[in-house]
Amino acid sequence: MSMFSTGVLVLTSPLHTLPLRLAPVLKSAAKLVEHTLYVHLHPGLNLGTGCPPRPVFIPPSVDLPGLISRLYSNAADICSHLDVRLLLANIHAQQDVTLDPFPSPQTLSRSPEVVMTDFPIKDSGQTSLVARCLQVYAGSCYVCAPSISSVILWPQLKEAMEEQEENVKENDSTPLDTYGDVVVGGTFDRLHGAHRTLLNICCLMANRRFLIGVCDQELLKNKVLKELIEPYSRRVQKLREFLNDVKPSLQYDIVPLSDPFGPSVSDAELQCIVVSEETRRGGEAVNRKRAENGLPELVLYEIPLIKDAHHADTEEEKISSSSLRTRLLGTLLAPPTPHPALARLPYMIGLTGGSGSGKSSIARRLEALGAARIDADQLGHETYRPGTAAYHRIVQEFGTDIVNEDKTIDRRALGMKVFGNKERLKALTSIVWPEIALLVKERVQQAKEDGKQVCVLDAAVLLQAGWTDIVHEVWVAIIPEEEAVRRIVQRDGVSQEDALRRLQSQWSNVQLVERANVVLCTLWEPDVTQRQVMKAWTLLQVRIEQRQEDAGFQP
């Protein structure tokens, strides 16, 4: 069967049986959907009567938060590539059974192209009837693609579900306590299963307003790989899209957090704050602040952390954004800018990074894997040699007092003339950088003649010099500032103040990452760096091969 970009899964099993059924259902659905999977709950829905089924309100019970957590935990294990979203428009303690949760079909951010269900079919002759009823039901709830397909998953689920029936627990239909206004805070970088669990449970518990504080500025400073955190506006955009899909009836207030508390300690209408095992102390601190401000305490509702079955030895055991950012290292973060004038091979990698970033060690690792390494700093020294075109222009521009007795340029004396003087520094770089670029092209030609498929240009000033037009991709090595200072002090024997001044005179990690196709980090043990480099190299080979196939090019 063909794959669909977006699907909606209608779960009809009783709520108390779903925890054990979720895994096989998700596994089956993931074979049909490749991007977004919406999940709609309607326990007890009968699709086999031939009558058009109608959606009804489902009262929230104390079992539901656990089911939500189980859903996203299973999804992280089984189909982590899918954007799973549990929809809650029909989950509400509504007394009037005549009311329809969907007076008009809800418009989702992506229109479902297929609707699936776990509805059990007793007789294979029912299949077409159930499929038609399922299409009608989905269309009454959500705006779907005009030619939506319907799939009955039961044949694939029957055996797995029957094996689990004996382990089914009793249903607890105790009503869940809900609140008018609910608050939560977080970074919400690259929404993952733990975020979705938290947000879904908040939406479940809120009847009127959901206030979300999103960390920004000062609160991001100590985050792991903070340079890879998505911009605030992007995180808010993804939050709004997710929340509007999940429960469009709520009022969503999303505000930036520049301190740990935000409006949670001053908003008198708030009633409940949702926390995890890790953030419970933060919730208790919020209540102490509210008490100081003469406001009633918030109900603290705690949800469990979700274990990450795929975590590496350097990552947290729980699902976390920092782990996801770590996994981005070595991958293609942004597509390369096309440079039609560049030869396809050797494929040019421009590798840059600040002082102490480990850039050159990465270049040597790539060289060991088969790349030709070109050291821009070494080429820079060559441009200063007596007799070169750059040498004569430098002496003419800066005077003969920078020339030693042996006719070499006194780099220290030259440095004194340009230090702190932007115009004089620009005069120097306008002479040296173009000459280095010419030498780079010579080395690339030599690498081509040697049969090299990849060249790595190790250049601290790659971006400042405008050399991006001579490379196919920009790779950036980053390191936290405090670690960079420690390395510079240890390596060069300078003071911490001098090391910091050196770093502050260079482009920041954020500026470098903004222009990067691939990012690497040497913060951890050497074998961790090696795994990053190996991943980057392997993915690069795939891109080069695909590029050759697309162009019909044979090496």
Coordinates of all heavy atoms in Angstrom, one line a residue, residues 194-228:
A194 N 8.3 14.2 25.0 CA 8.1 14.7 26.4 C 7.4 16.0 26.4 O 6.5 16.3 27.2 CB 9.4 14.8 27.1
H195 N 7.8 16.9 25.4 CA 7.0 18.2 25.3 C 5.6 17.9 25.0 O 4.7 18.5 25.5 CB 7.6 19.0 24.1 CG 9.0 19.6 24.4 ND1 9.9 19.6 23.4 CD2 9.5 20.1 25.5 CE1 11.0 20.2 23.9 NE2 10.8 20.5 25.2
R196 N 5.3 17.0 24.0 CA 4.0 16.7 23.6 C 3.1 16.2 24.7 O 1.9 16.5 24.8 CB 4.0 15.8 22.4 CG 4.6 16.4 21.1 CD 4.9 15.4 20.1 NE 5.9 15.9 19.1 CZ 5.5 16.6 18.0 NH1 4.2 16.7 17.7 NH2 6.3 17.1 17.1
T197 N 3.7 15.3 25.5 CA 3.0 14.8 26.7 C 2.6 15.9 27.6 O 1.5 16.0 28.0 CB 3.9 13.8 27.4 OG1 4.3 12.7 26.6 CG2 3.2 13.2 28.7
L198 N 3.6 16.8 27.9 CA 3.3 17.9 28.8 C 2.3 18.8 28.3 O 1.3 19.2 29.0 CB 4.6 18.7 29.0 CG 4.6 19.9 29.8 CD1 4.2 19.6 31.3 CD2 5.9 20.7 29.8
L199 N 2.4 19.2 27.0 CA 1.4 20.1 26.4 C 0.0 19.5 26.3 O -1.0 20.1 26.6 CB 1.9 20.5 25.0 CG 3.2 21.3 25.0 CD1 3.7 21.5 23.6 CD2 2.9 22.7 25.6
N200 N -0.1 18.2 25.9 CA -1.4 17.5 25.8 C -2.1 17.4 27.2 O -3.3 17.7 27.3 CB -1.2 16.1 25.3 CG -1.6 16.0 23.8 OD1 -0.8 15.7 22.9 ND2 -2.9 16.2 23.5
I201 N -1.3 17.1 28.2 CA -1.9 17.0 29.5 C -2.4 18.4 30.0 O -3.4 18.5 30.7 CB -0.9 16.3 30.5 CG1 -0.8 14.8 30.1 CG2 -1.4 16.5 32.0 CD1 0.3 14.1 31.0
C202 N -1.6 19.4 29.7 CA -2.0 20.8 30.1 C -3.3 21.1 29.4 O -4.2 21.7 30.0 CB -0.9 21.8 29.7 SG 0.6 21.7 30.8
C203 N -3.4 20.8 28.1 CA -4.6 21.1 27.3 C -5.8 20.3 27.9 O -6.9 20.8 27.9 CB -4.4 20.8 25.9 SG -3.3 21.9 25.0
L204 N -5.5 19.1 28.3 CA -6.6 18.3 28.9 C -7.1 18.9 30.1 O -8.3 18.9 30.4 CB -6.0 16.9 29.1 CG -6.9 15.8 29.7 CD1 -8.0 15.4 28.7 CD2 -6.2 14.6 30.2
M205 N -6.2 19.5 31.0 CA -6.6 20.0 32.3 C -7.1 21.4 32.2 O -7.8 21.9 33.2 CB -5.4 19.9 33.2 CG -4.9 18.5 33.4 SD -3.6 18.3 34.6 CE -4.5 18.5 36.1
A206 N -6.9 22.1 31.1 CA -7.3 23.5 31.0 C -8.7 23.6 30.4 O -8.9 23.0 29.3 CB -6.3 24.3 30.3
N207 N -9.6 24.4 31.0 CA -10.9 24.6 30.4 C -11.0 25.9 29.6 O -11.9 26.1 28.7 CB -12.0 24.6 31.5 CG -12.1 23.2 32.1 OD1 -12.0 22.2 31.4 ND2 -12.3 23.2 33.4
R208 N -10.2 26.9 30.0 CA -10.4 28.2 29.4 C -9.1 28.7 28.8 O -9.1 29.1 27.6 CB -10.8 29.2 30.5 CG -11.2 30.6 30.0 CD -11.6 31.6 31.1 NE -10.4 32.0 31.8 CZ -9.7 33.1 31.4 NH1 -10.1 33.8 30.4 NH2 -8.6 33.5 32.1
R209 N -8.0 28.8 29.6 CA -6.8 29.4 29.1 C -5.6 28.6 29.5 O -5.5 28.0 30.6 CB -6.6 30.8 29.7 CG -5.4 31.6 29.3 CD -5.4 33.0 29.9 NE -5.3 33.0 31.3 CZ -4.3 33.6 32.0 NH1 -3.4 34.3 31.4 NH2 -4.3 33.6 33.3
F210 N -4.6 28.5 28.6 CA -3.3 27.8 28.8 C -2.2 28.9 28.6 O -2.0 29.4 27.5 CB -3.2 26.6 27.8 CG -2.0 25.8 28.0 CD1 -1.2 25.9 29.1 CD2 -1.6 25.0 27.0 CE1 0.0 25.2 29.2 CE2 -0.5 24.2 27.1 CZ 0.3 24.3 28.2
L211 N -1.5 29.1 29.7 CA -0.4 30.1 29.6 C 0.9 29.3 29.5 O 1.2 28.5 30.4 CB -0.4 31.0 30.9 CG 0.8 31.9 31.1 CD1 0.9 33.0 30.0 CD2 0.6 32.6 32.4
I212 N 1.7 29.6 28.5 CA 3.0 28.9 28.3 C 4.1 30.0 28.3 O 4.2 30.9 27.5 CB 3.0 28.2 26.9 CG1 1.8 27.3 26.8 CG2 4.3 27.4 26.8 CD1 0.8 27.8 25.9
G213 N 5.1 29.8 29.2 CA 6.3 30.6 29.3 C 7.4 29.9 28.5 O 7.7 28.7 28.8
V214 N 8.0 30.6 27.6 CA 9.0 30.0 26.7 C 10.4 30.7 27.0 O 10.5 31.9 26.9 CB 8.7 30.1 25.2 CG1 9.8 29.5 24.3 CG2 7.3 29.5 24.9
C215 N 11.3 29.9 27.4 CA 12.6 30.4 27.8 C 13.3 31.2 26.7 O 13.3 30.7 25.6 CB 13.6 29.3 28.3 SG 13.0 28.4 29.7
D216 N 13.9 32.3 27.1 CA 14.6 33.1 26.1 C 15.8 33.8 26.8 O 15.9 33.9 28.0 CB 13.6 34.1 25.5 CG 14.1 34.8 24.2 OD1 15.0 34.2 23.5 OD2 13.6 35.9 23.9
Q217 N 16.7 34.3 26.0 CA 17.8 35.1 26.4 C 18.6 34.5 27.6 O 19.2 33.5 27.4 CB 17.3 36.5 26.8 CG 16.6 37.3 25.6 CD 15.9 38.5 26.0 OE1 16.0 38.9 27.2 NE2 15.3 39.2 25.1
E218 N 18.5 35.1 28.8 CA 19.4 34.7 29.9 C 19.2 33.2 30.2 O 20.1 32.5 30.7 CB 19.1 35.6 31.1 CG 19.5 37.0 31.0 CD 21.0 37.1 30.8 OE1 21.8 36.4 31.6 OE2 21.5 37.8 29.9
L219 N 17.9 32.7 30.1 CA 17.7 31.3 30.5 C 18.2 30.3 29.6 O 18.2 29.1 29.9 CB 16.1 31.1 30.7 CG 15.4 31.9 31.8 CD1 14.0 31.6 31.9 CD2 16.1 31.7 33.1
L220 N 18.8 30.7 28.4 CA 19.3 29.8 27.5 C 20.9 29.7 27.6 O 21.5 28.8 27.0 CB 19.0 30.2 26.0 CG 17.5 30.4 25.7 CD1 17.4 30.8 24.2 CD2 16.8 29.0 26.0
K221 N 21.5 30.6 28.4 CA 22.9 30.7 28.5 C 23.6 29.4 28.9 O 24.7 29.1 28.4 CB 23.3 31.8 29.4 CG 23.2 33.2 28.8 CD 23.9 34.2 29.7 CE 23.9 35.6 29.0 NZ 24.6 36.6 29.8
N222 N 23.0 28.6 29.8 CA 23.7 27.4 30.3 C 23.2 26.1 29.6 O 23.5 25.0 30.1 CB 23.6 27.3 31.8 CG 24.3 28.5 32.5 OD1 25.3 28.9 32.1 ND2 23.6 29.0 33.5
K223 N 22.4 26.2 28.6 CA 21.9 25.1 27.9 C 23.0 24.4 27.1 O 23.9 25.1 26.5 CB 20.8 25.4 26.9 CG 19.5 26.0 27.6 CD 18.7 25.0 28.3 CE 17.5 25.5 28.9 NZ 16.7 24.5 29.7
V224 N 23.0 23.1 27.0 CA 23.9 22.3 26.1 C 23.7 22.7 24.7 O 22.5 22.7 24.2 CB 23.7 20.8 26.4 CG1 24.6 20.0 25.4 CG2 24.0 20.4 27.8
L225 N 24.7 23.0 24.0 CA 24.6 23.4 22.5 C 23.6 24.4 22.3 O 22.7 24.3 21.4 CB 24.3 22.1 21.7 CG 25.4 21.0 21.7 CD1 24.9 19.8 21.0 CD2 26.7 21.5 21.1
K226 N 23.7 25.5 23.1 CA 22.6 26.5 23.0 C 22.6 27.2 21.7 O 21.6 27.7 21.3 CB 22.9 27.6 24.1 CG 24.2 28.4 24.0 CD 24.3 29.4 25.1 CE 25.6 30.3 25.0 NZ 26.8 29.5 25.3
E227 N 23.7 27.1 20.9 CA 23.8 27.7 19.6 C 22.8 27.0 18.6 O 22.4 27.6 17.6 CB 25.2 27.7 19.0 CG 26.2 28.4 19.8 CD 26.8 27.6 21.0 OE1 26.4 26.4 21.1 OE2 27.7 28.1 21.7
L228 N 22.4 25.8 18.9 CA 21.6 25.0 18.0 C 20.1 25.1 18.4 O 19.2 24.5 17.8 CB 22.0 23.5 18.0 CG 23.4 23.2 17.4 CD1 23.6 21.7 17.4 CD2 23.5 23.8 16.0

